[in-house]
Amino acid sequence: MSVRIGVVRFPGTNCDRDVFDAVGSVEGSEPVWLWHKERDLEGVRGIVLAGGFSFGDYLRAGAIARFSPIMEEVVAFARRGGPVLGICNGFQILTEAGLLPGALMRNDRITFVCRDQWLKVETTDTPFTRHYSAGQLVRYTVAHGEGNYVAEEEVLDRLEEEGRVAFRYVDETGAATDAANPNGSLRNIAGIRDEGGNILGLMPHPDRAMSELLGSGDGAPVFRGLVEAAA
Amino acid sequence: MSPATALRDQPVTDDLVEAHGITPAEYQRIVDLLGREPNVTELGVFSLMWSEHCGYKYSRARLAELPTEGPQVVQGPGENAGAVDVGEGLAVVFKMESHNHPSAVEPYQGAATGVGGILRDVFTMGARPIALLDSLRFGELSDPHARYLFRNVVRGIGDYGNCVGVPTVGGEVVFDDAYRGNPLVNAMCVGLLRHDELTKGATGAPGNGVYVLGASTGRDGIHGASLLASSELSDDTLESRPTVQVGDPFSEKLLLEATLELIERDAVIGIQDMGAAGLTSSSSEMASRSGTGIAIDVARVPRREPAMPPYEVLLSESQERMLVVADDAKEPLLMEIAEKWDLPCTRIGEVTGDGTWRVVEDEVEVCSIPVAALVDEVPKYVREVGRPAYLDEVQAWEPEEGWLAGRDPLDDLATLLAAPTIACKRWAWEQYDHHVQTNTVLGPGADAAVLRLRGTRRGIALTVDGNGRWVWCDPRTGGALAVAEAARNLAAVGAKPLAVTDCLNFGNPEKDRVYYQFVEAIRGIAEACRALGTPVVSGNVSFYNESSTGAVHPTPTIGMVGILEDLEKRIRPDGALPGDILVELGGTGAHLGASSFLKEVVGTVAGRPPAADLEAEAAAGDAVRALSAAGLVRAARERASSSPSSARPASPDDGA
Amino acid sequence: MNARVEVFVQLKPGMLDPQGETLERALESMGYEGVSGMRVGKWITFAVEGGERAEIEGRVDEMCRRLLANPVIETYRYGLAEAGLEETAADGGEEAR
């Protein structure tokens, strides 16, 4: 039997189809739409919050989305240990909802940034990153205006100590330099996981790294890991 | 009293007629058509519909010279956008449009709403927008105002397209003093649909309901379409800031999804964008296409501001609104889908059988005009004008003997590569999401963008191209070369050109010099389109691109769509390896007339552009594709390209 | 009472404010000297109907905490004014430009 994975759709979600296809490309998975106005998780075993501009994001990215009916269920699902992946706007929503610490501020360059980006996999201790090797370099696309990860120093220290920094922005040699940092994120943090390891939020798009034809196939292991964890 | 505050009872005086940009002869024509004097609201409506922007009164007769037919054409000009067949039951819908004057007044909102408008043109046809491209012209980057415009236009394009979730996959930016007072902002949108999903702006039978879907109506852009887009920019134009429309990309996204769902679930009979020229233009054009009439009660139109007279409701250019026609059977589903996407949907009138465009406010009649008078009876101006004298002077330029003596070619090359027009535009396109929807095989920075068509082996290639300097130096050749260069851009990725959308940016057509440039450029475009087998399926004319510094270079921008039947056989721009053989295919030999070298290095704009040998162009394109199909090409570049990458990308932080 | 509410949202002191820094640099390059500490925030206005002043304040404070500001990065303050008849009439009959 196939594993049902929910893809949440807010009205301004615009990477929903990309994520739906990425999930669907994993053998044994069945992507399912979850509409923001509903409360029914339709029996899904894993959930992805896709990128976009959930409610226009004029106030703050993800600020309004977290109050939608479906998010109450997503939060409860995550707290029960269900695998939840937040990509880009999904990461912003996860921080607004308090499922992940910190916040995503406007990029330090002020402007939106879309480019190919090298990342270092910092932890393999999540279902989403278990198919990578520790320290592996992968290439995804970043595309966001508010991806500047900030948190208090103590929070950052704790994330590092507990191995909860999942991805870091690096250059092609693996060095976490300022030049390699697309948005000013503290300590070049691109993605983090929660204490339990079942929630992952990241700004770069593994959903856009699913095919060599489009430039990179490096994102596929993330979705494979998600489906396996949900099975 | 300005037209924007004119109320319904204002008497129609000669001054008022003139303030509406209507000539005495045109006014007489209106009186004849109505059989009476118009009231002020009707005057406003005529002024809008008979403006160049809506009615193409100076250009329509000349546009008829463009080829519009071919076996690949699914929809030619006359609808919201054109469409061509790309195989496997799929069609590509596309159009390019200008938003020059709004962008000159308020670059961020002007560019943003330009993107919004062109997106709506495509998705009202039932196509999901899959790509945006843009063609931009500014003054030299050393000018602080040009930097301000460049910075904010790019941000406006990015913020809008990024939020709606349509990738901006290509474009061009040119900096030239000719555009100092009047920037050009042309946006092209490409959408994809199955043939059976193609929807038109039709009304169906009398008795059908007419609805407004989307945003409420405010005072945005009152008379923007006629007064802003159809008159030259003066310093006073800065005072017109309050009438510039404000874009709301989130509402656009809702409108996009709702529109596509309405079409997919067969909940509408016809649908039309209400962007430029608003309720008046959308309703009369729909009625015109179907040979029906339409009756609207402006009191039922949801408004954002109190006390708006019918004049303002009818002429408002508030964005993110659609005019929808549905019958009683479809209405419940229409309302259900609107509610799903949290969009207001209000019945404001109905289709009638009498061919009249009738407007009431509550029970009181405000306008009663034959639809044909608004749409078909637009005055058409055709003039015969002579060749302007400046051309002889410009074209007389010949290099003098030994004029290059003492120049260091490497220095000059460095100067050329550092010129903002030629330098890499990464600063701009990094602000555009060029990957969303995950179809982008080849993105910005190449000759043409390449997108995959999911579920097939096929891809499409897209490009925009125009060279105002060439058209200025030789309008006919320049027009032809714009098409030829676009076709070459497509050939450089291995694609076969299918069809064209054009955006014709010119100065004031009432001036002989401009009119001549326009007529000749169209001739050149028409010749090239015929020779290369690329009919023009949609387009837009933008006149009055002038300011106190004069008219812009005549700048027809060509958007072209091509097909790659097998993506695996595409040509990669960066596929070359050390030891590969470099071949120049076609080519016109050494030619420096009207070149970038003359402009950027020597500081002269003069001479003739290279001759347009259209047969050779067609043959060169075929040859590249044949070589590529045979697996003999590793990489290709169109020779007149700007630099794909340079150490120092052009950005508004330069030149300060 | 019927209250007119103003909410001011700003990044916490010490938080990097790229917008503020950019504006400050721009002003500097335009020749304005001695400008420092520029911060960009949000100013939100709205009306709230009904209830005692203290109760409205409580509701506004909650709105700020839950939605209008993100306590992780932002601080907020707000002000209330009783909406007078005059103000209401002025709003209702506003004639734009």
Side-chain angles (χ1 to χ4, degrees):
Chain A
M1 210 178 99
S2 57
V3 185
R4 289 165 70 83
I5 304 288
V7 179
V8 179
R9 280 183 132 170
F10 300 100
T13 306
N14 61 31
C15 301
D16 42 353
R17 284 178 184 76
D18 304 349
V19 166
F20 196 85
D21 279 8
V23 170
S25 72
V26 180
E27 204 170 325
S29 80
E30 182 194 350
V32 175
W33 295 121
L34 297 177
W35 184 239
H36 68 103
K37 291 180 182 175
E38 304 292 333
R39 288 175 190 279
D40 184 355
L41 289 185
E42 312 239 356
V44 299
R45 308 284 302 273
I47 294 174
V48 189
L49 299 174
F53 292 74
S54 44
F55 283 87
D57 290 355
Y58 296 125
L59 180 70
R60 282 187 319 281
I64 296 176
R66 65 163 283 214
F67 291 105
S68 54
I70 195 75
M71 276 309 292
E72 281 182 34
E73 304 305 317
V74 172
V75 169
F77 177 83
R79 295 237 152 96
R80 289 197 300 270
V84 174
L85 172 64
I87 303 166
C88 199
N89 192 223
F91 184 19
Q92 293 161 339
I93 295 168
L94 290 176
T95 59
E96 284 280 342
L99 286 173
L100 291 172
L104 292 143
M105 284 176 45
R106 181 183 282 240
N107 297 346
D108 64 347
R109 62 171 73 191
I110 311 289
T111 54
F112 192 94
V113 57
C114 177
R115 70 182 198 193
D116 288 344
Q117 176 69 49
W118 285 104
L119 302 167
K120 188 183 209 171
V121 179
E122 295 282 11
T123 176
T124 55
D125 195 15
T126 77
F128 315 98
T129 55
R130 60 184 283 262
H131 290 295
Y132 295 123
S133 54
Q136 185 178 340
L137 300 189
V138 295
R139 199 160 55 102
Y140 298 171
T141 299
V142 290
H144 56 251
E146 296 180 32
N148 180 353
Y149 183 75
V150 297
E152 287 164 12
E153 281 297 307
E154 311 89 80
V155 175
L156 294 172
D157 288 341
R158 209 169 59 238
L159 287 173
E160 304 268 15
E161 280 160 25
E162 295 172 2
R164 288 169 52 194
V165 174
F167 293 94
R168 231 184 279 273
Y169 300 112
V170 294
D171 62 19
E172 68 277 14
T173 70
T177 61
D178 284 348
N181 187 337
N183 51 35
S185 286
L186 295 175
R187 305 190 192 184
N188 281 40
I189 290 173
I192 56 173
R193 67 167 177 89
D194 73 327
E195 283 157 332
N198 59 304
I199 307 172
L200 176 73
L202 75 169
M203 289 310 299
H205 284 273
D207 49 318
R208 300 188 187 183
M210 297 297 293
S211 159
E212 290 299 335
L213 179 67
L214 306 186
S216 172
D218 289 355
V222 169
F223 294 95
R224 187 143 52 94
L226 163 67
V227 172
E228 285 167 5
Chain B
M1 182 183 282
S2 76
T5 53
L7 295 175
R8 75 205 78 186
D9 299 327
Q10 192 175 0
V12 174
T13 62
D14 291 351
D15 285 350
L16 194 67
V17 171
E18 195 186 336
H20 279 77
I22 290 175
T23 66
E26 287 170 350
Y27 185 74
Q28 188 53 50
R29 192 179 168 108
I30 292 170
V31 172
D32 292 345
L33 286 165
L34 290 180
R36 60 178 168 80
E37 305 263 334
N39 61 40
V40 63
T41 307
E42 291 170 330
L43 184 69
V45 163
F46 271 106
S47 126
L48 187 76
M49 293 302 294
W50 285 15
S51 68
E52 174 58 35
H53 186 77
C54 292
Y56 293 102
K57 61 184 170 188
Y58 288 103
S59 56
R60 199 183 274 202
R62 299 296 181 178
L63 293 174
E65 293 178 24
L66 296 170
T68 59
E69 287 170 2
Q72 72 275 43
V73 176
V74 175
Q75 176 65 57
E79 277 290 337
N80 287 303
V84 290
D85 177 42
V86 289
E88 309 206 18
L90 297 171
V92 160
V93 174
F94 63 104
K95 186 180 182 183
M96 180 157 46
E97 205 160 67
S98 62
H99 232 213
N100 305 338
H101 287 150
S103 303
V105 175
E106 214 312 299
Y108 179 83
Q109 294 296 348
T113 51
V115 172
I118 198 65
L119 284 168
R120 287 193 297 280
D121 277 337
V122 165
F123 70 71
T124 49
M125 304 282 294
R128 178 168 287 276
I130 57 169
L132 288 163
L133 298 92
D134 45 72
S135 173
L136 311 177
R137 301 288 182 282
F138 303 99
E140 297 287 356
L141 263 187
S142 52
D143 171 23
H145 189 63
R147 292 203 296 275
Y148 159 79
L149 293 174
F150 180 35
R151 187 190 306 278
N152 287 288
V153 162
V154 166
R155 205 164 53 86
I157 290 170
D159 282 357
Y160 205 99
N162 297 348
C163 183
V164 179
V166 181
T168 299
V169 297
E172 52 163 9
V173 192
V174 171
F175 304 95
D176 191 306
D177 211 35
Y179 306 99
R180 177 151 55 119
N182 195 122
L184 303 184
V185 176
N186 295 177
M188 171 173 166
C189 180
V190 180
L192 184 68
L193 47 60
R194 291 193 319 271
H195 283 260
D196 59 6
E197 292 169 325
L198 189 75
T199 304
K200 300 190 181 182
T203 63
N208 288 337
V210 177
Y211 305 77
V212 174
L213 174 71
S216 53
T217 297
R219 288 193 168 94
D220 318 52
I222 300 280
H223 256 220
S226 59
L227 293 192
L228 259 188
S230 301
S231 61
E232 297 168 27
L233 286 178
S234 67
D235 294 339
D236 295 348
T237 313
L238 290 179
E239 293 304 309
S240 60
R241 202 177 288 252
T243 72
V244 166
Q245 318 93 308
V246 174
D248 177 358
F250 178 57
S251 290
E252 180 95 343
K253 167 81 162 115
L254 301 180
L255 208 51
L256 184 160
E257 297 295 347
T259 300
L260 294 182
E261 189 169 337
L262 287 171
I263 291 169
E264 191 187 322
R265 295 174 67 186
D266 195 23
V268 295
I269 288 163
I271 188 160
Q272 171 106 4
D273 174 31
M274 290 173 68
L279 181 54
T280 297
S281 157
S282 54
S283 58
S284 56
E285 281 174 15
M286 280 179 100
S288 169
R289 284 193 201 109
S290 302
T292 56
I294 208 159
I296 289 165
D297 183 349
V298 284
R300 292 199 228 155
V301 176
R303 298 150 199 216
R304 207 167 59 224
E305 296 177 69
M308 285 177 70
Y311 185 105
E312 296 186 335
V313 176
L314 288 170
L315 302 194
S316 165
E317 293 181 3
S318 289
Q319 299 289 293
E320 292 93 21
R321 299 178 299 162
M322 287 286 188
L323 195 69
V324 174
V325 175
D327 59 22
D328 289 347
K330 294 186 195 295
E331 188 188 90
L333 188 55
L334 166 64
M335 292 301 177
E336 180 198 315
I337 293 169
E339 197 183 322
K340 172 181 172 185
W341 293 100
D342 296 320
L343 287 170
C345 186
T346 313
R347 182 168 173 146
I348 60 161
E350 61 179 27
V351 176
T352 61
D354 62 2
T356 301
W357 186 79
R358 188 163 179 270
V359 177
V360 299
E361 187 183 37
D362 293 319
E363 303 290 298
V364 184
E365 183 168 287
V366 181
C367 300
S368 179
I369 306 172
V371 169
L374 290 177
V375 181
D376 304 325
E377 298 294 334
V378 180
K380 291 183 195 71
Y381 297 114
V382 182
R383 301 208 313 277
E384 291 306 323
V385 295
R387 177 184 157 93
Y390 88 91
L391 281 173
D392 294 335
E393 198 181 311
V394 166
Q395 293 179 355
W397 178 88
E398 284 292 337
E400 290 164 30
E401 192 71 26
W403 70 300
L404 292 174
R407 299 201 75 97
D408 179 342
L410 283 180
D411 275 0
D412 287 350
L413 181 63
T415 305
L416 203 51
L417 291 178
T421 295
I422 292 170
C424 171
K425 305 303 183 302
R426 193 172 62 225
W427 177 87
W429 52 254
E430 273 197 355
Q431 296 184 50
Y432 308 146
D433 190 335
H434 44 271
H435 282 285
V436 64
Q437 298 191 22
T438 52
N439 295 316
T440 311
V441 175
L442 184 59
D447 291 319
V450 176
L451 271 65
R452 67 173 171 183
L453 296 176
R454 270 195 161 90
T456 74
R457 298 178 62 82
R458 289 166 178 255
I460 53 171
L462 313 169
T463 188
V464 287
D465 216 304
N467 187 332
R469 196 174 60 239
W470 283 356
V471 183
W472 190 73
C473 290
D474 184 343
R476 189 159 177 174
T477 306
L481 287 175
V483 179
E485 190 159 329
R488 248 179 274 149
N489 288 341
L490 297 189
V493 296
K496 181 177 161 42
L498 287 178
V500 159
T501 180
D502 58 2
C503 199
L504 307 173
N505 308 275
F506 287 81
N508 179 349
E510 297 158 54
K511 296 180 182 169
D512 287 355
R513 172 199 280 206
V514 171
Y515 193 72
Y516 178 87
Q517 292 166 338
F518 177 70
V519 170
E520 287 293 297
I522 286 199
R523 255 174 215 155
I525 293 170
E527 284 160 4
C529 285
R530 279 201 182 86
L532 298 172
T534 53
V536 179
V537 296
S538 61
N540 159 242
V541 179
S542 172
F543 280 139
Y544 303 97
N545 291 292
E546 305 210 359
S547 66
S548 52
T549 59
V552 297
H553 278 165
T555 311
T557 313
I558 300 297
M560 196 180 276
V561 173
I563 182 83
L564 287 135
E565 289 187 1
D566 185 353
L567 267 180
E568 288 306 313
K569 300 229 167 99
R570 73 189 185 279
I571 305 174
R572 295 156 171 82
D574 53 359
L577 297 173
D580 283 353
I581 299 164
L582 195 61
V583 175
E584 186 187 41
L585 200 66
T588 49
H591 188 101
L592 284 175
S595 64
S596 295
F597 173 76
L598 279 187
K599 174 185 178 280
E600 307 289 357
V601 181
V602 182
T604 311
V605 174
R608 279 173 175 273
D613 183 343
L614 297 170
E615 264 176 53
E617 289 288 353
D622 288 341
V624 171
R625 285 183 289 274
L627 286 168
S628 161
L632 296 172
V633 181
R634 193 123 64 193
R637 290 294 295 196
E638 195 269 321
R639 219 192 48 173
S641 310
S642 56
S643 165
S645 60
S646 64
R648 203 151 165 269
S651 97
D653 301 326
D654 291 350
Chain C
M1 73 185 267
N2 293 338
R4 298 283 315 161
V5 183
E6 291 184 311
V7 174
F8 300 88
V9 180
Q10 236 186 1
L11 288 170
K12 281 181 179 172
M15 242 25 234
L16 176 74
D17 179 356
Q19 267 180 295
E21 296 213 338
T22 306
L23 287 180
E24 203 171 299
R25 278 199 303 274
L27 287 171
E28 216 173 86
S29 73
M30 290 162 73
Y32 294 99
E33 287 168 21
V35 177
S36 67
M38 181 156 299
R39 311 286 283 173
V40 177
K42 296 166 193 150
W43 175 47
I44 303 164
T45 64
F46 51 98
V48 176
E49 279 177 29
E52 295 300 312
R53 185 182 186 92
E55 191 209 336
I56 294 179
E57 282 183 345
R59 272 158 69 199
V60 170
D61 195 71
E62 189 184 309
M63 293 176 204
C64 290
R65 271 183 286 120
R66 295 188 66 202
L67 178 65
L68 302 180
N70 178 353
V72 177
I73 49 172
E74 293 168 328
T75 61
Y76 61 87
R77 63 190 169 82
Y78 52 84
L80 260 65
E82 186 149 4
L85 286 174
E86 237 169 71
E87 273 178 80
T88 313
D91 285 345
E94 186 187 18
E95 194 57 59
R97 293 170 279 283

